Amino acid sequence: MAENIQSKGYAGKDDSGKLSPWSFERRPVGDDDILIDIKYCGVCHSDIHQIKGHWGPQQYPQVPGHEIVGIVAAVGKNVKNFKVGDRAGVGCMVDSCMDCESCNNGEEHHCDKGETIMTYGYLEESSPTGISQGGYSKNIVVTEHFAIKIPDSIELQEAAPLLCAGITTYSPLMRANFKKGDKVGVVGIGGLGHVAIKLAVSKGAEVYAFTTTESKKEDCLAFGAKEVIVVNSTEDLQPLRGKLDYMISTVPYAYDMSSYIDCVKPYGYFTQVGQPIGGELTINNFNMIFNRVNFNGSLIGGIPETQEVVDYCAENKIYPEIQMIKPEMINGVWEKVVNKEARYRYVIDMSSL
């Protein structure tokens, strides 16, 4: 496997947000690498933000996608944990320094040297295209350490969203250390939010779901939420002011956060995982000094924790709600994601690529 690996996928070639077919090459399979034939890839709102340049200028062509699952097709001579034919996944990152304190403690996404390479759009010396290329594609070559084992007890397509939507919500929920019976709020019921409801419920929380979409109310209750608050104005939030032990928001745009934060008890925590255009959020500090709520953000999770959430969901039969699509449908599907029409995670069937 000394030669570059031929691949093809759907790439953004400018910041228009329109994807088109593109043939490219992956690096050869190195001694510590595995080659994965991609079977499915989830569609994340982050894909749209990044390709459109919402988080800063991008290098193109760029293949998005960081909820990748497939079958191992080749392994390097030093690989110990995977063999040809194994089920494997790749989440939001593909490399880091692997030498600093954070990397050694399973927090590769917070590499102290700033050498985390996210799955697409990051400078990567080993990539023939100069940047990492994601999972809206035929295959991927990745260092063994950054591959996730997919248990046989979960369908590949159902495991895909766990590699971003799953870990992005699981990590802060576990760090919140809420107790059984605690009141947990989930804001924004999309690809991440619906998984957050299921995870929090599975851990014994009393979950309150906040959505601006009336048609999602029955779904939220089916996911296990105790109550669903359809928010048409900030007045709809008043009955829950100071009632919740913890709150997580997955909303990927700037919005009126302060009224939601007020729903948390004094000295409780509010975590924002949705990332708005430009990354800028506005919080009313008058609210914060009076409500005494602790605000924080959260990225994803390290490789050990990503493996943990996949194993946990497989064991406990916690499956994302998915809609299967063909690769050629991707541009229309991106429009549906932006228009809040997803129910709840689109997954691309890469077999026809």
Side-chain angles (χ1 to χ4, degrees), residues 53-344:
H54 290 168
W55 296 340
Q58 299 296 310
Q59 182 173 322
Y60 304 100
Q62 184 177 148
V63 178
H66 55 204
E67 295 181 343
I68 304 164
V69 290
I71 304 297
V72 177
V75 299
K77 67 178 184 180
N78 295 336
V79 172
K80 298 178 180 178
N81 296 317
F82 292 90
K83 64 183 185 301
V84 173
D86 281 355
R87 293 148 51 98
V90 177
C92 299
M93 56 184 165
V94 292
D95 208 355
S96 68
C97 84
M98 294 306 298
D99 188 44
C100 67
E101 183 176 356
S102 291
C103 288
N104 287 328
N105 287 329
E107 294 209 318
E108 302 90 343
H109 53 310
H110 290 303
C111 176
D112 300 335
K113 297 180 182 179
E115 295 180 11
T116 303
I117 297 177
M118 296 302 186
T119 305
Y120 56 88
Y122 271 56
L123 295 177
E124 185 179 34
E125 289 184 6
S126 64
S127 171
T129 67
I131 60 173
S132 53
Q133 302 288 356
Y136 292 14
S137 57
K138 184 179 178 63
N139 52 36
I140 189 168
V141 177
V142 65
T143 303
E144 171 189 25
H145 178 86
F146 288 86
I148 303 299
K149 285 182 170 292
I150 307 298
D152 291 335
S153 56
I154 187 170
E155 296 293 335
L156 277 177
Q157 61 267 37
E158 291 175 329
L162 300 177
L163 297 167
C164 174
I167 184 58
T168 302
T169 52
Y170 182 83
S171 185
L173 283 169
M174 295 306 97
R175 280 163 174 70
N177 291 318
F178 59 83
K179 304 181 296 297
K180 186 175 181 179
D182 278 0
K183 294 178 172 62
V184 171
V186 178
V187 185
I189 314 303
L192 274 69
H194 91 283
V195 174
I197 293 175
K198 293 187 176 191
L199 288 170
V201 168
S202 77
K203 295 289 186 176
E206 190 175 281
V207 175
Y208 293 76
F210 296 76
T211 179
T212 56
T213 307
E214 173 76 36
S215 61
K216 293 181 179 180
K217 184 173 182 177
E218 293 303 316
D219 287 345
C220 292
L221 293 172
F223 300 151
K226 177 181 176 61
E227 186 176 331
V228 182
I229 299 87
V230 179
V231 184
N232 295 307
S233 73
T234 56
E235 294 300 314
D236 297 320
L237 301 170
Q238 288 303 307
L240 285 167
R241 185 181 175 91
K243 302 294 186 184
L244 305 182
D245 297 287
Y246 175 71
M247 201 169 202
I248 182 172
S249 170
T250 69
V251 178
Y253 293 106
Y255 65 106
D256 180 7
M257 300 181 66
S258 297
S259 298
Y260 288 91
I261 295 173
D262 281 348
C263 293
V264 180
K265 294 177 181 178
Y267 306 110
Y269 284 82
F270 181 102
T271 302
Q272 178 70 32
V273 297
Q275 185 73 351
I277 296 173
E280 185 174 345
L281 295 164
T282 300
I283 301 174
N284 187 317
N285 199 50
F286 277 116
N287 280 56
M288 300 303 292
I289 62 177
F290 285 107
N291 64 28
R292 294 164 288 168
V293 175
N294 295 286
F295 175 88
N296 63 83
S298 183
L299 185 56
I300 45 173
I303 294 299
E305 197 171 32
T306 304
Q307 187 67 65
E308 181 181 314
V309 68
V310 171
D311 292 344
Y312 176 80
C313 289
E315 181 179 350
N316 292 280
K317 296 181 170 53
I318 300 169
Y319 307 135
E321 306 294 320
I322 62 174
Q323 293 173 276
M324 300 301 301
I325 65 166
K326 299 294 184 183
E328 59 269 21
M329 298 167 63
I330 190 61
N331 288 313
V333 160
W334 271 21
E335 292 181 8
K336 290 183 177 181
V337 171
V338 171
N339 293 330
K340 303 180 183 179
E341 296 176 39
R343 297 295 186 273
Y344 281 82

